[in-house]
Amino acid sequence: MTNQMPSKVAAGYHPAAHGGDLILDITQYAPMVKKIAGILISRLPASIELDDLIQVGIIGLIDAARQFDPSQGVQFETFASQRVRGAMLDELRREDWMPRQARRHAKQIEEAINTLEQRFGRSPLESEIADEMAMPLADYQELLGECKGLTLLHYEDFTDDDGDPLAALSSLVDSSSPDPLATLSDGDFRQSLIDAITQLPERDQLLMALYYEQELNLKEIGAVLGVSESRVSQLHSQAIVRLRAKLKDWL
């Protein structure tokens, strides 16, 4: 996909902007858009195209330039980065970036891990999970790749009697039903999450620390662990599924 990027865009009239229209050369901020897209794409399934994210980000950048008011005392790059990232996330939500099939695979892996943990009293090896799912190890690892971008807790965890996600607009609010945000905010849940992380295999604990605490990207984590970037992605997906299995009573 080719992006037709306008070289300049008028940001609108602002009296504080030297008494005239503020003109911004948005090509100067194109690297920022690509950087934000690169960070997001590393956490998304392979079906998501980087060029598509960049195109949406450019639209967000243009929108930011039109709405930017320098009299507010905020740097344009700070303002624009929030708009660009927001535009990308909005598009991902609209497109439901994790296909239903990938969700089913993640659920199957989660169930296999839960079964093996109850059987062995420990975190199962990848080979044991593959055997439980009656598939070669390579096929299991390929499934992990498809689950790239899996989150610990998402809206689709809360389903109807048929296992289909509840429709936000067609379902009445039930005060007794679980709320994803409330669950994440619950102190007991946070403690359970901490306990679950400490029960992960040592390599998974290190990966989670590097990814979420040190904020290293997949390539950098691969260098630390001595594995490829794609392998780090697989290990991250597996670590999340392990956590989901341990926290199944919450989810």
Side-chain angles (χ1 to χ4, degrees):
M1 180 181 296
T2 57
N3 298 320
Q4 300 299 323
M5 189 184 307
S7 60
K8 293 189 177 183
V9 60
Y13 180 77
H14 302 290
H18 307 293
D21 287 350
L22 174 64
I23 304 298
L24 294 173
D25 184 356
I26 68 169
T27 57
Q28 135 183 30
Y29 298 99
M32 177 191 70
V33 175
K34 293 179 181 178
K35 180 180 179 180
I36 295 173
I39 292 173
L40 287 179
I41 203 73
S42 68
R43 305 182 182 188
L44 297 172
S47 58
I48 304 299
E49 295 289 341
L50 178 62
D51 284 350
D52 290 343
L53 277 186
I54 292 175
Q55 185 178 63
V56 173
I58 291 298
I59 295 174
L61 178 61
I62 294 173
D63 181 62
R66 287 172 177 159
Q67 299 189 37
F68 178 61
D69 184 352
S71 67
Q72 298 300 314
V74 179
Q75 293 290 329
F76 176 73
E77 186 168 357
T78 301
F79 177 79
S81 63
Q82 295 174 346
R83 291 281 179 163
V84 167
R85 188 172 186 275
M88 293 179 182
L89 292 176
D90 285 345
E91 181 65 17
L92 290 171
R93 293 187 189 102
R94 281 195 294 269
E95 296 298 323
D96 188 16
W97 51 265
M98 192 171 187
R100 179 170 293 188
Q101 182 178 12
R103 296 189 192 280
R104 284 199 298 267
H105 289 161
K107 187 66 175 177
Q108 291 167 358
I109 296 172
E110 183 181 330
E111 291 173 350
I113 290 175
N114 185 53
T115 298
L116 292 172
E117 286 189 341
Q118 292 183 7
R119 184 184 304 166
F120 299 145
R122 60 170 172 80
S123 293
L125 303 174
E126 280 186 288
S127 57
E128 293 170 335
I129 301 171
D131 288 343
E132 179 68 18
M133 298 182 69
M135 63 176 58
L137 178 59
D139 290 350
Y140 167 69
Q141 292 176 339
E142 185 176 342
L143 281 188
L144 288 176
E146 293 179 6
C147 294
K148 177 182 177 183
L150 179 69
T151 58
L152 179 63
L153 185 67
H154 44 68
Y155 183 77
E156 288 77 5
D157 282 325
F158 307 100
T159 58
D160 58 24
D161 293 337
D162 296 324
D164 295 322
L166 293 171
L169 297 180
S170 63
S171 302
L172 295 176
V173 175
D174 182 357
S175 59
S176 65
S177 64
D179 181 323
L181 181 58
T183 301
L184 286 173
S185 301
D186 189 284
D188 291 337
F189 173 80
R190 291 199 301 271
Q191 185 58 52
S192 296
L193 175 59
I194 293 171
D195 294 341
I197 291 175
T198 62
Q199 296 172 35
L200 290 175
E202 185 175 346
R203 180 179 58 180
D204 288 4
Q205 291 187 46
L206 175 59
L207 186 153
M208 298 292 278
L210 293 174
Y211 192 72
Y212 292 103
E213 293 180 18
Q214 302 302 319
E215 297 185 345
L216 300 186
N217 59 38
L218 299 184
K219 184 176 181 180
E220 292 168 336
I221 295 174
V224 173
L225 299 181
V227 298
S228 68
E229 185 174 342
S230 61
R231 180 59 176 152
V232 173
S233 177
Q234 291 175 354
L235 293 174
H236 175 262
S237 295
Q238 183 172 252
I240 294 296
V241 177
R242 287 186 192 274
L243 289 175
R244 288 176 60 86
K246 293 180 183 297
L247 297 168
K248 62 183 179 63
D249 291 340
W250 285 95
L251 306 181

